[in-house]
Amino acid sequence: MRGRDIGLAILLAAIAAGSIGGLVYNVFPLYMGPLQDSTGLSNSQIGFIAGAFFLGTNLTGISAFFWVRSASLMYIALVTTLSLILFLLLAARIDSFILQLVITSLIGAASGALYAISTTLIGGTRNTPRWFGIKFTVECLAGAILLFVLPVTLIPGLGFTGVVIGMVLMILVFAPVLAFISRRRLPEQEEASPITAIGAENTRLPVWLALASLVFYFIGASAIWTFLERLATDNQFDPSATGLMLGITLLFAVIGSALTGVTGDRFGNFPPYIVYSIMLVAGVLLLCLTDNFIVFSIGAYAFMLAWSASDGYQYAIVADVDPDGRHIVLAVPAMGVGSMIGPILAGYLYSEGTTAWLFIMVLVTIAIAVLLARTSSSE
């Protein structure tokens, strides 16, 4: 489905909503590492907490299929932003594993609602790879700033509380722009009800395949991203060097998203997607095979550049086979399902300190994702 252009003010608001909704995930290593240090939780428990975040994201993302075109998005965006701030502040005060699971799922729910709003608005534009690339560029830049600044400012003295304070300040920077989201409902693109749309499987197969591709891609990629800081720590790299490396990693995410924004659909969606997928697997191979900091850093940079550059094309593949403009919002829970499964699997696969199974998981899941994406485009 090819969309239409939207106003610049609404586009900026959509990018702001995505930047707030994606902030926790974009600083996940910096969030999960200090959280583990402050609570003393195990790797497997941290994996479950990461999974709880995406459980919340999935629930609101799936529900958005029904409400995103029948509600005032501006009010929802403002209320969920305030809720997200409150939940983050509560997370900094909780040590219990069970309570962290609950509060983290609520953080995921608020983040997912904002990300669903952003994805729906931008999914309705022409040249979707370009606009998704711009959206992801701003999101990654916000995370990169925190990854650079927090390890040398708030974290040394405040630990996980410093992470939360930095995130809240970043959210407050973007929040005023949400007022540009229209108070009116989004226009309907077809007369069929959501239930009817879901049930028309014979005409919806390509979009379901594209969404399944997103699930598998994020299983592999999120497993590495969640434990990237732990991989560096277990290699006994210098903490300050690791913090700098993580910040530079998100700069490469900015570069990757910007490349997609500049290139757009000039070469189609699938050819760039396959190139970046190969680069991602190569980056993970370096991460898993070396104890040399420079080689490890190169692997991290290649991994993140490839992942961020492929994101815009993944969403564009879904948007292009979306028959009615409704299904693009399901890319959010598809991403969430993969990102929920990935850390849980990684928590177990990495529990013994070996990286071989991590690499095998990434290789298999990315290969499946590419196959599903190719099949969806040829249906």
Side-chain angles (χ1 to χ4, degrees), residues 169-206:
L169 292 175
M170 183 63 73
I171 290 170
L172 292 175
V173 170
F174 286 105
V177 188
L178 299 177
F180 290 118
I181 298 177
S182 174
R183 295 177 176 85
R184 294 183 302 227
R185 299 176 179 179
L186 293 177
E188 294 291 340
Q189 297 195 9
E190 66 168 16
E191 294 298 322
S193 67
I195 300 297
T196 301
I198 292 177
E201 299 292 344
N202 58 331
T203 61
R204 304 295 195 262
L205 180 59

Side-chain angles (χ1 to χ4, degrees), residues 229-266:
E229 189 268 350
R230 292 292 98 178
L231 286 168
T233 299
D234 289 346
N235 276 315
Q236 299 182 343
F237 297 142
D238 178 71
S240 60
T242 297
L244 178 61
M245 181 269 295
L246 289 173
I248 296 175
T249 297
L250 266 191
L251 283 183
F252 274 87
V254 173
I255 293 171
S257 298
L259 283 174
T260 302
V262 170
T263 305
D265 57 4
R266 186 177 305 171

Side-chain angles (χ1 to χ4, degrees), residues 127-130 132-133 136 214 256-257 259-274 276 306-320 373:
N127 199 339
T128 46
R130 171 163 297 159
F132 275 118
F136 295 140
L214 260 176
S257 298
L259 283 174
T260 302
V262 170
T263 305
D265 57 4
R266 186 177 305 171
F267 304 106
N269 292 332
F270 190 75
Y273 172 67
I274 186 65
Y276 290 127
W307 187 13
S308 60
S310 68
D311 273 351
Y313 292 106
Q314 293 180 75
Y315 276 71
I317 288 170
V318 176
D320 279 356

Side-chain angles (χ1 to χ4, degrees), residues 49-67:
I49 288 175
F53 173 83
F54 293 106
L55 175 62
T57 301
N58 295 342
L59 292 177
T60 51
I62 293 171
S63 69
F65 185 89
F66 300 97
W67 57 256

Side-chain angles (χ1 to χ4, degrees), residues 29-255:
L30 198 64
Y31 185 93
M32 290 299 171
L35 174 62
Q36 185 174 21
D37 293 337
S38 68
T39 58
L41 298 175
S42 67
N43 281 348
S44 60
Q45 287 176 317
I46 287 296
F48 273 106
I49 288 175
F53 173 83
F54 293 106
L55 175 62
T57 301
N58 295 342
L59 292 177
T60 51
I62 293 171
S63 69
F65 185 89
F66 300 97
W67 57 256
V68 77
R69 292 188 176 274
S70 60
S72 175
L73 298 186
M74 187 194 75
Y75 294 119
I76 292 178
L78 292 174
V79 169
T80 50
T81 296
L82 293 175
S83 299
L84 178 59
I85 292 173
L86 174 62
F87 297 148
L88 285 170
L89 294 174
L90 287 174
R93 308 295 298 175
I94 294 172
D95 292 328
S96 165
F97 170 60
I98 299 300
L99 292 179
Q100 275 291 348
L101 284 176
V102 173
I103 199 67
T104 305
S105 67
L106 293 174
I107 290 172
S111 299
L114 288 162
Y115 215 75
I117 291 171
S118 174
T119 300
T120 299
L121 291 174
I122 294 181
T125 64
R126 296 187 178 93
N127 199 339
T128 46
R130 171 163 297 159
W131 292 116
F132 275 118
I134 294 172
K135 162 182 150 68
F136 295 140
T137 298
V138 178
E139 293 172 11
C140 292
L141 185 60
I145 291 173
L146 292 183
L147 286 178
F148 270 119
V149 172
L150 293 184
V152 296
T153 55
L154 296 177
I155 291 179
L158 298 175
F160 181 62
T161 300
V163 176
V164 169
I165 292 173
M167 294 176 68
V168 169
L169 292 175
M170 183 63 73
I171 290 170
L172 292 175
V173 170
F174 286 105
V177 188
L178 299 177
F180 290 118
I181 298 177
S182 174
R183 295 177 176 85
R184 294 183 302 227
R185 299 176 179 179
L186 293 177
E188 294 291 340
Q189 297 195 9
E190 66 168 16
E191 294 298 322
S193 67
I195 300 297
T196 301
I198 292 177
E201 299 292 344
N202 58 331
T203 61
R204 304 295 195 262
L205 180 59
V207 75
W208 298 128
L209 291 173
L211 290 168
S213 172
L214 260 176
V215 172
F216 279 96
Y217 206 97
F218 273 78
I219 288 175
S222 67
I224 297 299
W225 179 231
T226 302
F227 282 90
L228 185 58
E229 189 268 350
R230 292 292 98 178
L231 286 168
T233 299
D234 289 346
N235 276 315
Q236 299 182 343
F237 297 142
D238 178 71
S240 60
T242 297
L244 178 61
M245 181 269 295
L246 289 173
I248 296 175
T249 297
L250 266 191
L251 283 183
F252 274 87
V254 173
I255 293 171

Side-chain angles (χ1 to χ4, degrees), residues 344-369:
I344 294 175
L345 289 177
Y348 281 106
L349 293 174
Y350 189 52
S351 61
E352 300 300 324
T354 179
T355 58
W357 285 109
L358 277 178
F359 173 72
I360 292 172
M361 183 185 72
V362 171
L363 178 64
V364 171
T365 54
I366 298 302
I368 293 173

